Amino acid sequence: MEDYSEIKYDKSCSFLYWLFHQEQCYRFPVVYDDGSVSRLKSSLEGKRPCGILCKGYIVSIWRAPEKMTKQEAKEYCAAESIAWRPSCVPPRKVMRFLLKNVAAVNEIIRDLGGDLIDSRWYMVANDTFGYPLDDIMLGISLQHLDDYAGRGGIICWEIKGDTKASFYPAARI
């Protein structure tokens, strides 16, 4: 059995505290390589950030090193981990949330030294039915959310065969 670190959430920076002390807190919880989670910027001292906590997933602040096919992405994720948890391609609901809050997310990523989210297409797992469908990967982008915001955000295309896309590895909590 693998040795997973326990997530230790620092609750000293609640949403109300963030609201009045934004210069001291991140908008979203940041996960560090030791398994601690905190919104406080001072928590960064002496720790290595590895991702942002979002909808039950830790989403890496670094994109995969290159665009990949869905098979290459699965192999890459099988070999990688985030805070001692196996990584995966993030579900659509998680990436949609990050893209809808891209300004706040990019501010955190910039502070932590990660790869900013831009207007390219990103690979996501299809979680239409409430659970990830590993055999179907979809493309989603900032442009896509802007174009379809009023129409429910229809996913534009399925990633098939040799099609390559960027993605941010994620790990389920």
Side-chain angles (χ1 to χ4, degrees):
M1 179 150 208
E2 300 204 21
D3 180 29
Y4 295 117
S5 69
E6 183 179 327
I7 293 291
K8 301 172 282 281
Y9 201 101
D10 176 6
K11 296 184 178 167
S12 60
C13 187
S14 67
F15 181 75
L16 286 175
Y17 186 85
W18 170 82
L19 194 58
F20 296 105
H21 302 282
Q22 293 181 28
E23 69 283 351
Q24 297 173 18
C25 297
Y26 293 117
R27 175 90 185 264
F28 301 107
V30 175
V31 180
Y32 298 92
D33 60 354
D34 66 355
S36 61
V37 180
S38 179
R39 289 178 184 254
L40 285 172
K41 292 182 179 181
S42 61
S43 295
L44 180 60
E45 296 169 14
K47 296 182 184 179
R48 183 177 179 265
C50 60
I52 298 171
L53 190 60
C54 175
K55 295 189 174 280
Y57 284 82
I58 302 168
V59 181
S60 176
I61 58 172
W62 299 284
R63 271 191 302 268
E66 58 193 36
K67 289 183 177 183
M68 298 182 192
T69 64
K70 64 182 180 181
Q71 185 57 40
E72 291 169 338
K74 288 178 187 179
E75 291 168 8
Y76 175 81
C77 288
E80 294 293 316
S81 65
I82 302 171
W84 297 290
R85 288 164 170 72
S87 67
C88 63
V89 174
R92 177 179 61 159
K93 67 180 178 184
V94 172
M95 201 62 194
R96 276 181 59 129
F97 180 81
L98 293 178
L99 290 172
K100 284 182 179 182
N101 295 284
V102 69
V105 171
N106 272 345
E107 182 181 326
I108 295 170
I109 291 174
R110 185 178 302 107
D111 286 352
L112 300 176
D115 299 322
L116 298 180
I117 296 174
D118 55 28
S119 61
R120 71 181 75 195
W121 285 90
Y122 296 102
M123 188 183 313
V124 295
N126 184 8
D127 58 349
T128 303
F129 302 107
Y131 55 91
L133 302 174
D134 287 339
D135 57 336
I136 301 174
M137 299 292 178
L138 304 169
I140 189 171
S141 72
L142 280 171
Q143 181 67 40
H144 159 76
L145 287 181
D146 291 343
D147 291 347
Y148 294 101
R151 293 186 262 163
I154 300 166
I155 295 297
C156 291
W157 57 280
E158 181 180 341
I159 296 174
K160 295 182 179 182
D162 294 336
T163 305
K164 295 189 175 200
S166 296
F167 71 98
Y168 285 86
R172 191 170 190 68
I173 295 292

